[in-house]
């Protein structure tokens, strides 16, 4: 019966996504839902996009082994990312009325920076989407009692999600996210109540976890531990800010105010609900310690599904797997769309020359198809855990795209030379430490890459200015002031003249 529920739920959700596709008439509808999403839908898309396989399966497995110290990157770093986006990035980016995050780099720093950051952003999605597809294979394998192989389940999951994402784009993502958020919240709360009743209440589980040292959060006061802690936190908190899926939520909002507070509320809800799967997984140590000891070192991601299948009644199983599938589907659809849109807009479109909007929309759909096939093959061949796939995904954007985004928005003296130096230094140091730094370096590679990127931006921007003299005074240097005053519905026809984007900086 559980497998039949999964099949029926899958068919209904695909049908809803295809119905939403009727609202897609052009590339703006496909990429950012025509900027028509109300507050509740923006909040739902922010929450549901992040509440994925790593939240239900990856984070609880890591928490069981390492406690709160092990999950500093997610949910602590990832939820802070969404809140920071709302507070500091949503408003200025929304006013620019762009289609992709790559468009910002082009307007601010020129074509070379646009290409390099876009490639980094697209590559980062391999791990993120791969984690969702891996989880789909795991779910189909579990609910079918092994009759469906994991690899087969991955293909079934990725192809069916592709169907409505291919046709519906951001509209399909937004509508299905809203429904899936409701299912996630109701399902998680119901199964939480059901499991807590088996162990004598929430307090019993919390007390047991506290006595076991699972709530120890802060690292030891030595340099290596502090650097590792900081690196884990900033990887998700900063590395996921320059991402197309986060950017799409900002741009899809009906107003600037909705973009800001939808991100803040969605991030806050994500943080609180991420603790429910951790509570459920730790309850397994009290309900079935033998099963936990068997899986903790082999496949801890299976602990929570096994707990529900073996100890919860059928309705609770239906609610749990409904919530789990909703989480994975909402995450996977959005993260299939995001890299496909930005690759088409910022890499493919300039290469192909002038295109009609209809041809550009077709290109976005074909890239979505190609990326789905690529990432499914990657997921099948990857040996990393779901949590590690997600955590590692954002290292490349942390070292290559974060500093140019921040400085491009908030430091008027940043130039295209500085942005290029930031990208080169960040990537070079990060890759060098990954190759020669060993398995447990003193300074984590991504943290060193972030520092190198910041140094590259400062040196690359200021040194030429010291040699040639300071940048011209206003009004030539008016990039940010122009966009701050621009109407939210206005799309400039040509990039603004700026010393940084014209190579004069």
């Amino acid at each position: 019966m559980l497998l039949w529920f999964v099949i029926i739920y899958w068919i209904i959700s695909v049908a809803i996504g295809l119905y939403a596709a009727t609202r897609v008439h052009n590339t703006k509808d496909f990429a950012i839902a025509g900027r028509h999403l109300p507050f509740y839908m923006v909040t739902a898309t922010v929450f549901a996009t992040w509440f994925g396989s790593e939240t239900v399966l990856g984070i609880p497995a890591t928490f069981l082994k390492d406690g709160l110290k092990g999950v500093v990157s997610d949910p602590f770093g990832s939820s802070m990312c969404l809140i920071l986006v709302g507070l500091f990035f949503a408003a200025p980016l929304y006013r620019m009325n762009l289609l992709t995050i790559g468009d910002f780099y082009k307007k601010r720093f020129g074509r070379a920076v646009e290409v390099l950051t876009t490639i980094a952003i697209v590559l980062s999605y391999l791990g993120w989407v791969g984690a969702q597809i891996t989880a789909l294979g795991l779910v189909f394998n579990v609910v079918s009692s092994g009759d469906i192989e994991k690899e087969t389940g991955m293909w079934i999951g990725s192809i069916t999600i592709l169907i409505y994402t291919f046709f519906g784009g951001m509209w399909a993502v937004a509508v299905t996210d809203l429904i899936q958020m409701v299912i996630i919240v109701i399902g998680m709360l119901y199964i939480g109540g059901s499991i807590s009743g088996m162990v004598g209440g929430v307090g019993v589980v919390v007390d047991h976890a506290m006595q076991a040292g699972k709530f120890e959060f802060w690292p030891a006061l030595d340099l290596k531990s502090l650097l590792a802690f900081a690196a884990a936190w900033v990887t998700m908190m900063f590395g996921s800010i320059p991402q197309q899926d986060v950017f799409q939520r900002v741009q899809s909002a009906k107003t600037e105010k909705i973009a800001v507070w939808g991100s803040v509320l969605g991030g806050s809800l994500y943080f609180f609900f991420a603790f429910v799967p951790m509570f459920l997984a730790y309850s397994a140590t009290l309900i079935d310690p033998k099963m936990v000891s068997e899986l903790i070192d082999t496949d801890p991601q299976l602990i929570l599904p096994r707990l529900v299948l073996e100890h919860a009644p059928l309705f609770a199983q239906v609610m749990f797997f409904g919530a789990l599938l909703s989480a994975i589907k909402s995450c996977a659809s959005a993260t299939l769309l995001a890299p496909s849109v930005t690759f088409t807009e910022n890499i493919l479109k300039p290469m192909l020359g002038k295109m009609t909007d209809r041809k550009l929309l077709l290109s976005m759909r074909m890239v979505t198809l190609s990326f789905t096939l690529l990432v499914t093959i990657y997921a099948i061949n990857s040996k990393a855990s779901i949590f590690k796939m997600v955590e590692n995904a954002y290292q490349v954007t942390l070292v290559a795209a974060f500093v140019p985004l921040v400085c491009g928005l908030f430091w008027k003296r940043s130039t295209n030379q500085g942005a290029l130096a930031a990208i080169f230094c960040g990537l070079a140091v990060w890759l060098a430490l990954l190759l020669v730094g060993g398995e447990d370096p003193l300074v984590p590679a991504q943290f060193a890459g972030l520092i190198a990127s910041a140094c590259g931006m400062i040196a690359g921007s200021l040194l030429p200015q010291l040699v040639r003299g300071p940048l011209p005074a206003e009004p030539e240097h008016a990039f940010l002031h122009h966009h701050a005053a621009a109407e939210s519905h206005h799309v400039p026809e040509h990039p603004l003249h700026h010393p940084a984007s014209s190579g004069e900086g």
Side-chain angles (χ1 to χ4, degrees):
M1 288 186 66
L2 183 60
L3 180 59
W4 276 110
F5 160 77
V6 170
I7 293 171
I8 294 170
Y9 173 76
W10 209 254
I11 293 171
I12 292 173
S13 60
V14 171
I16 292 171
L18 289 175
Y19 172 76
T22 60
R23 305 194 68 166
V24 175
H25 306 293
N26 52 48
T27 53
K28 192 173 182 180
D29 290 336
F30 187 81
I32 53 175
R35 297 190 113 193
H36 293 313
L37 297 188
F39 178 74
Y40 64 91
M41 291 190 77
V42 173
T43 301
T45 58
V46 171
F47 170 85
T49 299
W50 284 76
F51 205 100
S53 62
E54 77 293 343
T55 314
V56 183
L57 301 177
I59 292 175
T62 305
F63 174 74
L64 282 178
K65 297 182 72 174
D66 304 321
L68 284 182
K69 285 188 290 188
V71 296
V72 61
S73 62
D74 194 5
F76 290 93
S78 55
S79 57
M80 277 304 300
C81 158
L82 297 173
I83 294 171
L84 290 174
V85 165
L87 294 177
F88 298 105
F89 295 89
L93 288 173
Y94 187 86
R95 292 174 198 144
M96 295 173 68
N97 197 7
L98 306 172
L99 194 66
T100 70
I101 189 71
D103 289 342
F104 166 81
Y105 293 106
K106 178 182 179 180
K107 288 183 177 294
R108 185 63 172 87
F109 296 118
R111 174 65 177 160
V113 174
E114 173 196 18
V115 171
L116 292 172
T117 52
T118 298
I119 291 172
I121 290 167
V122 170
L123 289 176
S124 72
Y125 279 100
L126 284 174
W128 181 254
V129 188
Q132 313 313 313
I133 292 174
T134 299
L136 286 174
L138 180 67
V139 170
F140 278 112
N141 179 259
V142 169
V143 299
S144 67
S145 301
D147 292 338
I148 299 176
E149 296 290 333
K150 286 185 180 180
E151 290 79 6
T152 305
M154 289 183 193
W155 282 112
I156 294 172
S158 62
I159 290 172
T160 49
I161 290 173
L162 169 67
I163 292 172
Y164 68 80
T165 307
F166 181 90
F167 292 103
M170 188 61 197
W171 266 118
V173 170
V175 172
T176 54
D177 276 1
L178 177 62
I179 296 169
Q180 287 157 357
M181 176 184 172
V182 174
I183 295 172
I184 290 168
V185 171
I186 295 174
M188 284 289 126
L189 290 178
Y190 179 85
I191 193 68
S194 179
I195 294 296
S196 66
M198 299 181 190
V199 295
V202 175
V204 174
V205 179
V206 172
D207 289 341
H208 193 279
M210 189 175 295
Q211 293 173 12
K214 297 299 181 182
F215 289 158
E216 294 178 5
F217 181 70
W218 299 108
L221 295 178
D222 62 82
L223 182 60
K224 187 173 182 179
S225 299
L226 290 171
L227 288 174
F229 182 86
W233 197 314
V234 301
T235 297
M236 291 288 282
M237 183 167 60
F238 293 157
S240 49
I241 288 177
Q243 285 288 346
Q244 177 64 17
D245 60 321
V246 176
F247 175 83
Q248 280 175 321
R249 270 109 200 102
V250 171
Q251 292 298 312
S252 299
K254 190 180 295 185
T255 67
E256 179 184 317
K257 189 175 181 180
I258 289 173
V260 171
W261 295 111
S263 297
V264 172
L265 180 58
S268 302
L269 289 173
Y270 172 77
F271 178 77
F272 289 113
F273 272 93
F275 284 90
V276 177
M278 283 190 265
F279 164 79
L280 296 176
Y282 195 81
S283 299
T285 62
L286 303 178
I287 297 173
D288 195 344
K290 182 180 178 182
M291 181 265 290
V292 173
S293 63
E294 290 174 355
L295 293 174
I296 192 69
D297 293 320
T298 55
D299 198 350
Q301 296 164 163
L302 280 173
I303 290 175
L304 187 49
R306 281 273 299 273
L307 171 71
V308 174
L309 278 176
E310 296 176 7
H311 297 279
L314 178 61
F315 185 72
Q317 294 177 24
V318 168
M319 294 300 292
F320 172 78
F321 284 101
L324 175 57
L325 285 170
S326 295
I328 298 170
K329 283 165 60 61
S330 61
C331 222
S333 59
T335 48
L336 280 176
L337 178 67
S340 305
V341 168
T342 194
F343 180 84
T344 307
E345 172 72 12
N346 301 111
I347 302 293
L348 196 59
K349 181 181 174 183
M351 292 171 56
L352 297 178
K354 190 173 182 179
M355 301 171 66
T356 64
D357 189 78
R358 185 176 180 180
K359 188 174 180 181
L360 181 61
L361 178 58
L362 177 61
S363 298
M364 286 182 178
R365 285 172 166 159
M366 296 312 298
V367 172
T368 304
L369 170 62
S370 302
F371 187 78
T372 303
L373 296 176
L374 175 65
V375 80
T376 304
I377 294 170
Y378 167 82
I380 289 173
N381 291 282
S382 176
K383 303 301 180 185
S385 69
I386 291 172
F387 187 83
K388 280 298 178 185
M389 289 173 77
V390 171
E391 188 178 43
N392 294 338
Y394 293 116
Q395 291 189 19
V396 63
T397 45
L398 176 70
V399 303
F402 175 70
V403 170
L405 176 63
V406 173
C407 291
L409 283 173
F410 303 113
W411 188 38
K412 69 178 184 178
R413 298 189 70 181
S414 59
T415 66
N416 62 337
Q417 293 95 331
L420 288 170
I423 296 169
F424 173 78
C425 293
L427 287 173
V429 171
W430 174 62
L431 290 172
L433 284 180
L434 284 180
L435 294 174
V436 301
E439 294 185 1
D440 192 21
L442 173 63
V443 182
Q446 73 271 29
F447 196 67
L450 175 62
I451 295 172
S453 181
C455 293
M457 172 61 81
I458 295 170
S461 297
L462 295 184
L463 288 179
Q465 294 177 33
L466 292 174
V467 173
R468 301 178 186 179
L471 287 170
E474 298 285 1
E476 286 87 356
H477 196 87
F479 176 85
L480 295 178
H481 298 284
H482 176 94
H483 281 294
E487 293 289 337
S488 64
H489 62 272
H490 174 65
V491 184
E493 302 242 334
H494 301 287
L496 295 168
H497 175 74
H498 183 276
S501 62
S502 60
E504 299 169 12

